[in-house]
Amino acid sequence: MSGQGPKQAVTRKSGVALWRQIADQIRQAVSAGTLGADGRLPPEMVLSERFGVNRHTLRSAIAALVQEGVLRAEQGRGTFVESRQKLSYPISARTRFSTGLRSQTRDRRSILLAHAVEQASQRVAEGLGLAEGAPVVRLETLSEADERPVSRATSWFDAERFPGYAEAYAETGSITLGFQSYGIEDYFRKSTLVSARHADAADLADLKLSAGAIVLVAVAVNVDTQGLPIQYAETRFVADRVELSVSTEAQ
Amino acid sequence: MSGQGPKQAVTRKSGVALWRQIADQIRQAVSAGTLGADGRLPPEMVLSERFGVNRHTLRSAIAALVQEGVLRAEQGRGTFVESRQKLSYPISARTRFSTGLRSQTRDRRSILLAHAVEQASQRVAEGLGLAEGAPVVRLETLSEADERPVSRATSWFDAERFPGYAEAYAETGSITLGFQSYGIEDYFRKSTLVSARHADAADLADLKLSAGAIVLVAVAVNVDTQGLPIQYAETRFVADRVELSVSTEAQ
DNA sequence: TTCGATTGTATAGAACAATAGACAAATACG
DNA sequence: CGTATTTGTCTATTGTTCTATACAATCGAA
């Protein structure tokens, strides 16, 4: 609501500092194009009056967004929009990370942060259709687009069926290609549970976010052509940079 | 991660008060069942040590959750889990609000907050396949489950095809039944865009949330059996109480 | 009843957030 | 060049959050 004059609402003594509430609102408005549509933000004095706070408080908000890479401030000139676009990540039966984003971004890559073989927790076992405590391969991966972290995923695979999957992934740099080295040419997304929460400390560090940031959490099960679960994954997307697109047309 | 001993992470001088960060973590852990699985929370002293904060800070977090109705504190006895469940809202081609939640909650209802006829914005026109500025009916609705607000939706309908849809909805109290009075016996969810953001001032009031709360935003297009768009809707779900379940099995 | 465990209340000081006013530094433009 | 506009830095003051310590009130069980 409102692109120009009306005062924006901020709540005092709510446990969230004013500068953070304002930063969240500006980030959202910039992303939606209702602020800085011409690439330039109104002067600090104008914005501070619009939010009904002191100029210094507003400057704290801008400083946070500059830190995040959303804005860029230039002394004597003004404050400018550095990056606006939201990536749209499709969720369908043929969901694959790389293909979905290929057209929207220039540079994109996945990084394997860590991997281990462990015993399946109840949750993971249920997702993969294994017994609780069965050996599973766990992968911790980070995905970036245009040099900026976009998502952080934890995936589990049946260690009996995919021993050394981590190596296959490290070599190929792709989940899809990793499966191919086990003879799986095709697979499907069976289900996805989507929720949202504040990023926890680990997410903040890996995704280079500041506290209070939001992550979209997608818990997914991929199955092979027989319908057998082959991957259970929990992906945390940076909510400010990503939206999930669910297509439910006849398939 | 961790149900017992390990220290939980809180970030200082992040713009989000410690008590609020802790409240968010406890709410999440309770919802996931990793805390208070037996219906009872560990004593304040134990929790305050686990989070590395003063007992009073932890008490502020608990007070907020008591206020929200998540916890219940009894002097001399302890602190208990009042409500745990997260509602799972299915998204598929046959998504309907009421049917999806019927099995999970006792009492559920939708309230028509406001309605108006207006000119379609570019976004709405595109969603409904109309010309920008064409007349559309806008509905503002609130959905509750077990006496607690769950979602807040804004829907648009073609005013030429569905004149007075607001009245039809008010009488029947249901989107599906409202369509039936226009001879539409069946319809489908075509697409859904899911994102997340902090609740804005209006959401906070309608959904009875406290500042800093998160909403899951689903932007959806429903189509009739011919594939013509009949409803464009933006729904804000309370992220703490809802998760979206996307099924992508062969349909 | 007595005791231990637990939540509730009070008070004071330290750390942080927000306001206020003044001025410096860089830029754009006549 | 000189001026207006804009962001950057500094200092001081006030209010909110967090810490620290102490003690009261309630409950359950020995």
Side-chain angles (χ1 to χ4, degrees):
Chain A
M1 275 145 242
S2 91
Q4 278 290 64
K7 228 172 181 180
Q8 299 293 99
V10 284
T11 318
R12 281 157 202 265
K13 33 185 169 176
S14 65
V16 183
L18 294 182
W19 65 263
R20 172 148 293 283
Q21 294 182 51
I22 292 168
D24 290 336
Q25 289 195 33
I26 293 179
R27 193 196 299 105
Q28 193 182 318
V30 164
S31 171
T34 55
L35 197 64
D38 56 348
R40 178 185 188 150
L41 243 61
E44 295 173 347
M45 278 307 295
V46 174
L47 284 176
S48 61
E49 277 171 30
R50 191 178 298 176
F51 284 104
V53 299
N54 190 274
R55 179 176 157 236
H56 291 299
T57 308
L58 185 114
R59 277 178 59 75
S60 300
I62 288 182
L65 294 173
V66 168
Q67 186 67 25
E68 281 182 37
V70 174
L71 300 178
R72 168 176 41 89
E74 293 181 28
Q75 186 167 355
R77 296 192 64 221
T79 307
F80 304 87
V81 175
E82 184 75 13
S83 86
R84 181 196 313 284
Q85 62 191 354
K86 237 181 196 189
L87 296 172
S88 191
Y89 181 71
I91 293 188
S92 72
R94 305 202 126 265
T95 292
R96 276 130 184 79
F97 182 73
S98 42
T99 41
L101 298 180
R102 186 164 297 160
S103 56
Q104 299 176 52
T105 172
R106 297 179 301 275
D107 182 47
R108 155 189 44 76
R109 61 191 186 122
S110 288
I111 301 153
L112 178 60
L113 297 179
H115 63 92
V117 175
E118 61 186 22
Q119 294 190 314
S121 66
Q122 197 210 324
R123 214 173 77 244
V124 171
E126 201 171 307
L128 289 175
L130 302 173
E132 192 172 340
V136 288
V137 177
R138 191 188 79 228
L139 253 61
E140 300 286 347
T141 54
L142 180 71
S143 289
E144 295 185 338
D146 296 329
E147 303 289 305
R148 298 169 59 65
V150 167
S151 67
R152 175 76 180 69
T154 306
S155 303
W156 287 269
F157 306 84
D158 179 359
E160 299 228 339
R161 184 164 176 196
F162 306 105
Y165 182 88
E167 285 71 27
Y169 177 82
E171 275 174 36
T172 61
S174 146
I175 296 283
T176 307
L177 295 176
F179 279 136
Q180 284 184 6
S181 48
Y182 290 92
I184 293 177
E185 296 299 325
D186 202 4
Y187 64 97
F188 301 95
R189 172 71 60 104
K190 184 186 177 196
S191 64
T192 311
L193 272 181
V194 180
S195 58
R197 58 170 169 82
H198 286 110
D200 62 28
D203 295 331
L204 291 177
D206 293 333
L207 295 170
K208 293 179 189 151
L209 298 172
S210 48
I214 300 177
V215 289
L216 266 168
V217 183
V219 177
V221 176
N222 277 329
V223 296
D224 63 16
T225 48
Q226 319 283 298
L228 291 174
I230 55 175
Q231 179 189 17
Y232 177 82
E234 181 195 287
T235 310
R236 283 86 74 197
F237 294 93
V238 178
D240 290 323
R241 300 205 270 272
V242 179
E243 64 186 2
L244 305 180
S245 172
V246 181
S247 170
T248 33
E249 294 207 73
Q251 286 167 15
Chain B
M1 280 151 227
S2 90
Q4 279 291 64
K7 227 173 182 179
Q8 299 295 98
V10 284
T11 318
R12 280 157 202 268
K13 42 185 164 175
S14 65
V16 183
L18 294 181
W19 65 263
R20 174 152 288 285
Q21 295 183 49
I22 292 169
D24 289 336
Q25 289 196 33
I26 293 180
R27 192 196 298 105
Q28 193 182 319
V30 164
S31 170
T34 55
L35 198 63
D38 55 348
R40 178 184 188 149
L41 243 62
E44 295 173 348
M45 278 306 295
V46 174
L47 284 176
S48 63
E49 276 172 30
R50 192 178 297 177
F51 285 103
V53 299
N54 189 274
R55 179 174 155 239
H56 290 301
T57 307
L58 186 114
R59 277 176 60 75
S60 300
I62 288 182
L65 294 173
V66 168
Q67 185 67 25
E68 283 182 35
V70 175
L71 300 179
R72 168 176 41 89
E74 293 181 27
Q75 186 166 355
R77 297 193 63 222
T79 307
F80 304 88
V81 175
E82 184 75 12
S83 85
R84 176 196 317 283
Q85 62 190 354
K86 232 180 196 188
L87 296 172
S88 191
Y89 181 70
I91 292 186
S92 72
R94 306 203 125 266
T95 292
R96 276 131 184 79
F97 182 73
S98 42
T99 40
L101 298 181
R102 185 164 295 159
S103 57
Q104 299 176 53
T105 171
R106 297 180 301 275
D107 183 47
R108 154 189 46 75
R109 62 191 186 123
S110 288
I111 302 154
L112 178 60
L113 297 179
H115 64 92
V117 176
E118 61 185 24
Q119 294 190 313
S121 67
Q122 195 210 326
R123 213 174 76 246
V124 172
E126 200 172 308
L128 289 175
L130 302 172
E132 193 172 341
V136 287
V137 178
R138 191 188 80 228
L139 252 62
E140 300 286 347
T141 54
L142 180 71
S143 290
E144 295 185 337
D146 297 328
E147 304 288 304
R148 297 169 62 65
V150 166
S151 67
R152 174 76 179 68
T154 306
S155 302
W156 287 269
F157 307 83
D158 179 359
E160 300 228 339
R161 184 165 177 197
F162 306 105
Y165 182 88
E167 285 72 26
Y169 177 81
E171 275 174 37
T172 60
S174 147
I175 297 284
T176 306
L177 295 176
F179 279 137
Q180 284 183 7
S181 48
Y182 290 91
I184 294 177
E185 296 299 324
D186 201 5
Y187 64 97
F188 300 95
R189 173 71 59 105
K190 185 187 176 195
S191 65
T192 312
L193 273 180
V194 181
S195 59
R197 58 170 169 81
H198 286 108
D200 62 27
D203 294 332
L204 291 178
D206 293 334
L207 296 171
K208 292 178 189 154
L209 298 172
S210 48
I214 300 175
V215 289
L216 266 168
V217 183
V219 177
V221 176
N222 277 330
V223 296
D224 63 15
T225 49
Q226 320 281 298
L228 292 173
I230 55 174
Q231 179 189 18
Y232 177 82
E234 181 195 287
T235 309
R236 285 85 75 198
F237 294 93
V238 178
D240 289 325
R241 301 205 269 273
V242 179
E243 64 185 3
L244 306 179
S245 172
V246 181
S247 170
T248 34
E249 294 207 74
Q251 286 168 14

